[in-house]
Amino acid sequence: MLALLLPLLLAAPAPAPVAADPAPRLTTSEARMAATVDAEYERSVALLERLVNQNSGTMNLPGVAKVGAMMTEQLRGLGFTVTWKPLPQTGRAGHVIAVHAGKGGTKRLLLIGHLDTVFEADSPFQRFVRHGEEASGPGAGDDKGGMVVMLAALRAMQAAGTLKTANIEIVLTGDEEDSGDPVAIARADLIAAGKRADVALDFEGLAVEDGRDMGSIARRSVNDWTLAVTGKSGHSSRIFSEAFGDGAANEAARILAAFRTQLPEPNLTFNTGLLAAGVTAAIDTGGSKATAQGKSNIIPAQAIASGDFRTLSEEQTQRVRTKMTAIVADHAPGTDATITFKSGYPAMAPTAGNQALLARLNGVNRDLGLAEMPALDPLKRGAGDISWVAADVDGLVGLGTASRGDHTPDEVVDLASIRRQAKRAAILMSRLSAERRSAGSRAAH
């Protein structure tokens, strides 16, 4: 039913912008949270500068561990029990896992962020530079800005007295940008935390469209595929003959063209990232380099291609895999072809529970005097760690800072977004954590 309804929902006209409410309606403790965020704004920016200036490219394992230690210090100061979980068996640094035990029987919140960035130790992009209410720097938005918002919100809760009763678990992964292998080990702690939680809040970047903050209730999956085609080699004058057939290159091209015409459906994208053909053709073990040897007058004996496809549900993933496998199996005479798949990030589907959480966040927006946040089109958001827990717990994405140019040397964070994002998060977490756990909740079972 979701697969049938979602295209209609996404195709529906966008609601008219809702103006900000000029008369905020906050409780005394919520007003205290908002005031604390404002009062500690420069403290938050200073912490962001320290985090950014410590390189933590995924493969800079000591650097990731140092950022983990910085976050550990901050969280312990807020009363969390913090564990550093090293993961040498996955080839990555490890994760920070922090737990705050609150009042029994109330909702358990899972907060998600990540310590690593895409900028390794040899990157020329290394330092935080402030320009008024913006700053450039590696990971300033993704995701060190998100971790700063998380801490600002928790400090505001502490100042207002709502943190002491809150049940919160935090998982800050050290390899979100390039997950360790095997992924079953690399994400085991996060998945286990999701099974314990009633709500998951992801502090990656805030999406902004046309100056309007957007809510994210879905993220698509990432699935890799590799196509291998073989054919009969010989002099090019014999190609397309009964004896030699189409050759590996033409057959690979036919298959890829069939993907383009037969696969399209709502919320699906698919891409060919590497392609090679010749007498010999191969992709290296790292998956980032293709090589081939051949001549213009020799029919290619081998062709290889790799790429990915992204879906909005596990049902869609399985359907697309079935279609791709059938297309490849129907190969031309004189050739052979196989396709293999490797699962990456699972999908976070736009469930009713996620939609209800966005409605709760918009209740906070109304009470803060902020505009309503519409749901972001999931095609405009990449995969992320919250997807690993999406099958077990309702969640929201995008509670971190607004930024632009992420994953490039032009990454710039909107420092002013720390204020409104930390206020939203503090109030939302305080309200949710004060509620009783439902006997029918997924986590309760």
Side-chain angles (χ1 to χ4, degrees):
M1 182 61 70
L2 175 63
L4 294 174
L5 292 176
L6 188 63
L8 299 177
L9 291 173
L10 294 178
V18 177
D21 187 337
R25 297 178 293 272
L26 302 176
T27 67
T28 301
S29 64
E30 290 170 349
R32 175 73 181 275
M33 288 181 234
T36 299
V37 169
D38 286 334
E40 297 198 346
Y41 172 63
E42 290 299 333
R43 175 182 176 180
S44 295
V45 174
L47 175 60
L48 178 58
E49 180 174 7
R50 293 198 300 274
L51 290 169
V52 169
N53 285 340
Q54 171 56 62
N55 178 276
S56 59
T58 308
M59 300 312 297
N60 179 7
L61 307 192
V64 173
K66 287 178 181 177
V67 171
M70 296 166 71
M71 291 300 296
T72 294
E73 179 183 11
Q74 295 289 323
L75 291 167
R76 284 180 176 158
L78 289 165
F80 283 78
T81 300
V82 188
T83 302
W84 169 251
K85 181 68 176 292
L87 290 169
Q89 65 272 46
T90 69
R92 299 295 185 267
H95 309 323
V96 167
I97 302 171
V99 178
H100 186 280
K103 185 178 179 180
T106 55
K107 286 186 176 177
R108 301 173 182 176
L109 310 186
L110 169 61
L111 314 185
I112 302 171
H114 62 91
L115 307 164
D116 63 320
T117 77
V118 299
F119 303 97
E120 298 294 344
D122 60 354
S123 169
F125 188 45
Q126 293 288 348
R127 305 299 294 177
F128 179 95
V129 180
R130 185 171 182 177
H131 309 279
E133 292 296 272
E134 292 188 333
S136 61
D142 183 18
D143 183 38
K144 292 177 179 179
M147 293 193 298
V148 165
V149 169
M150 183 189 296
L151 289 170
L154 292 170
R155 289 200 307 270
M157 292 174 68
Q158 185 183 57
T162 62
L163 180 60
K164 63 184 177 183
T165 57
N167 289 296
I168 299 175
E169 184 168 4
I170 299 173
V171 178
L172 305 175
T173 58
D175 60 346
E176 194 270 351
E177 302 293 2
D178 186 1
S179 180
D181 189 39
V183 72
I185 294 175
R187 290 295 174 271
D189 293 297
L190 178 60
I191 292 170
K195 294 182 185 300
R196 292 188 288 268
D198 298 290
V199 175
L201 303 175
D202 187 327
F203 282 78
E204 283 205 289
L206 168 68
V208 180
E209 287 196 337
D210 299 323
R212 187 175 189 183
D213 292 352
M214 306 294 288
S216 297
I217 60 173
R219 303 190 80 152
R220 294 187 301 153
S221 68
V222 178
N223 307 271
D224 293 330
W225 56 265
T226 300
L227 170 69
V229 181
T230 58
K232 295 179 180 180
S233 186
H235 196 281
S236 62
S237 63
R238 303 295 305 280
I239 195 167
F240 306 132
S241 67
E242 185 176 346
F244 287 91
D246 288 11
N250 285 324
E251 177 58 10
R254 186 199 66 79
I255 291 171
L256 295 177
F259 287 171
R260 181 68 183 90
T261 57
Q262 297 181 38
L263 292 182
E265 61 178 71
N267 303 309
L268 170 70
T269 55
F270 49 94
N271 178 58
T272 303
L274 282 174
L275 174 62
V279 176
T280 62
I283 294 176
D284 69 353
T285 54
S288 61
K289 184 177 181 181
T291 57
Q293 290 184 328
K295 294 178 68 176
S296 62
N297 61 352
I298 300 176
I299 301 171
Q302 298 179 358
I304 192 162
S306 66
D308 72 8
F309 70 91
R310 297 168 186 254
T311 63
L312 197 55
S313 68
E314 180 60 25
E315 175 192 16
Q316 187 177 36
T317 296
Q318 294 306 317
R319 181 170 62 253
V320 172
R321 287 179 63 155
T322 299
K323 287 182 179 180
M324 295 177 79
T325 301
I327 290 169
V328 172
D330 187 25
H331 48 80
T335 66
D336 195 9
T338 60
I339 189 167
T340 56
F341 299 96
K342 180 181 177 182
S343 297
Y345 279 81
M348 175 188 180
T351 65
N354 297 351
Q355 293 168 351
L357 277 176
L358 179 57
R360 296 295 301 274
L361 178 60
N362 277 323
V364 173
N365 284 327
R366 286 190 294 274
D367 292 343
L368 279 168
L370 298 174
E372 181 178 332
M373 298 167 69
L376 180 73
D377 182 344
L379 269 69
K380 298 179 179 180
R381 181 135 223 159
D385 274 342
I386 194 171
S387 295
W388 294 105
V389 304
D392 298 307
V393 62
D394 298 326
L396 281 179
V397 184
L399 292 169
T401 47
S403 59
R404 63 181 185 273
D406 292 5
H407 288 208
T408 77
D410 297 318
E411 182 172 358
V412 174
V413 64
D414 173 11
L415 296 173
S417 66
I418 294 173
R419 296 177 186 264
R420 63 184 187 274
Q421 286 290 83
K423 292 173 186 177
R424 285 169 170 150
I427 295 171
L428 179 64
M429 290 192 292
S430 295
R431 291 180 180 182
L432 291 172
S433 63
E435 296 174 356
R436 303 293 298 178
R437 300 189 79 197
S438 169
S441 69
R442 286 191 276 178
H445 289 85

